[in-house]
Amino acid sequence: MTSKNVAPTQQTPKQPSKWMSWIGGIAFTFLIAFLGFLLAKVPGFDHIGQLACAIIIAVAYRHFFGYPEAIRSGIAFSSKRLLRTAIILYGLKLNIDTVLSDGLGLLARDAGVVIFAIFMTIWLAKVFKADKDISLLLGVGTGICGAAAIAAVAPIVKAKEEDTAIGVGIIALMGTIFAIGYTILRPILPLDSIQYGMWAGISLHEVAHVALAGAPAGEDGLAIALLAKLGRVFLLVPVCFIFIYLMKRKSKGTEETDAKIEFPWFLVGFIMLSVLGSYVFGHSIPVSDNVMEGVFTLTTWLLTAAMVGLGLNVSLRDVRDRAMRPLAAMTVTSILLSVIVYFIV
């Protein structure tokens, strides 16, 4: 009998199909997102928010159990595709008409804040010898709109997923601390509700942080705070195109070619939904507040699941070794920003 008639004695372990890996990975990121949602209900964690809580859980899972390789494709889908979908839907939060008609004066100050935050963080990063990529992302997040800005700029500047997750985690945590600090200072500051609202809207990191800090100023103070913040969100698009231009210039004369600078098409979706939300929905096409609130909730969940995918790439050892100095640079920038804006409102 020849050897070719002998059946093999060992079999290769069966791997999950690509379809199951994809579904399982997405489901896993939403599971951790849900755990983050529950953790955010716990006193103490309720001030941090769902996004930061989910990232904490994801990083802890990676630290204790390792990266779930069997469902990598689904996790990657969440961290990339769902993230871009969330940014597109985020465009509905931006009312272009309101910014252009009522907030042009604030928009000029917003532009100054964006420029100051980015360049100051980069300069301090050089002084502190901090990681350049993380510091750049933190500067963008501090100046514009936190996690959404970091997520939008990261693929343009070719930041690693791990750096993106570290940046988002830091901005969520520090923004929350600053927002709580603003609410504590509110009763003792010699600012009226409008001035306080402008201070919060021009200087704080995330839209959620502005809402948290602006609430004690009443309806008028909160309204002006959100208007000031919308101006900074509005500036996300031109800032992204500036980075595209700079990256293309940087790639000339090097091994990288212009073709490798991928155009961020999700920004086109962001702009389109901003236009639709500003001039079509609620005008030509009636849309109820409940529907819009549902879309905003979906956006939050998609962004949270995406951040979970990024968080699973984070090594706590790298956070310790690489994030402390960028955190220091960002903290100093945020403090300076708060002080400067306080005196110009």
Side-chain angles (χ1 to χ4, degrees), residues 16-33 67-79 82 305-306 308-309 312:
S17 67
K18 291 183 179 181
W19 179 255
M20 292 301 297
S21 174
W22 185 74
I23 294 292
I26 296 173
F28 186 71
T29 59
F30 274 99
L31 172 61
I32 296 185
Y67 190 93
E69 291 288 347
I71 51 176
R72 175 179 287 275
S73 63
I75 294 173
F77 180 88
S78 290
S79 64
L82 293 188
V308 168
L312 288 169

Side-chain angles (χ1 to χ4, degrees), residues 276-277 279-288 292:
L276 290 174
Y279 303 110
V280 179
F281 297 152
H283 300 278
S284 304
I285 301 177
V287 178
S288 68
M292 293 303 294

Side-chain angles (χ1 to χ4, degrees), residues 56-298:
I56 290 172
I57 296 173
V59 173
Y61 182 93
R62 162 70 185 270
H63 179 72
F64 290 108
F65 302 105
Y67 190 93
E69 291 288 347
I71 51 176
R72 175 179 287 275
S73 63
I75 294 173
F77 180 88
S78 290
S79 64
K80 294 179 181 178
R81 302 300 179 184
L82 293 188
L83 176 58
R84 296 180 182 186
T85 301
I87 294 173
I88 292 171
L89 292 175
Y90 196 84
L92 288 173
K93 291 179 176 286
L94 175 61
N95 191 312
I96 298 174
D97 187 53
T98 300
V99 173
L100 295 180
S101 62
D102 300 328
L104 286 179
L106 289 173
L107 190 61
R109 293 184 231 191
D110 288 336
V113 164
V114 172
I115 294 171
F116 173 83
I118 294 175
F119 282 96
M120 178 56 71
T121 307
I122 292 174
W123 180 74
L124 287 173
K126 292 181 179 179
V127 173
F128 297 158
K129 297 181 179 179
D131 184 279
K132 294 188 293 184
D133 292 338
I134 298 176
S135 299
L136 173 60
L137 294 178
L138 288 176
V140 170
T142 300
I144 306 177
C145 54
I150 290 175
V153 170
I156 298 173
V157 299
K158 298 187 179 298
K160 299 177 182 177
E161 289 189 356
E162 180 178 357
D163 292 348
T164 305
I166 292 173
V168 168
I170 291 175
I171 210 82
L173 176 61
M174 294 304 299
T176 301
I177 293 172
F178 271 75
I180 294 173
Y182 275 41
T183 61
I184 294 173
L185 292 173
R186 165 66 181 139
I188 62 176
L189 292 176
L191 300 175
D192 59 32
S193 60
I194 298 300
Q195 291 172 325
Y196 173 81
M198 290 174 61
W199 181 48
I202 295 175
S203 61
L204 284 176
H205 307 75
E206 300 258 10
V207 174
H209 300 148
V210 172
L212 172 62
E219 291 185 5
D220 292 340
L222 179 58
I224 196 69
L226 292 174
L227 177 60
K229 185 61 181 177
L230 282 179
R232 292 161 68 191
V233 176
F234 179 82
L235 293 171
L236 174 61
V237 174
V239 168
C240 284
F241 282 108
I242 289 172
F243 274 111
I244 292 172
Y245 170 75
L246 293 175
M247 290 298 291
K248 284 183 176 292
R249 284 195 59 183
K250 182 180 178 181
S251 68
K252 290 181 179 179
T254 66
E255 294 181 358
E256 294 184 7
T257 62
D258 290 354
K260 290 187 178 181
I261 308 298
E262 181 182 356
F263 184 82
W265 290 105
F266 60 90
L267 282 181
V268 176
F270 176 89
I271 296 170
M272 289 176 61
L273 283 195
S274 297
V275 172
L276 290 174
S278 302
Y279 303 110
V280 179
F281 297 152
H283 300 278
S284 304
I285 301 177
V287 178
S288 68
D289 291 340
N290 289 336
V291 171
M292 293 303 294
E293 188 62 34
V295 174
F296 295 153
T297 300
L298 173 63

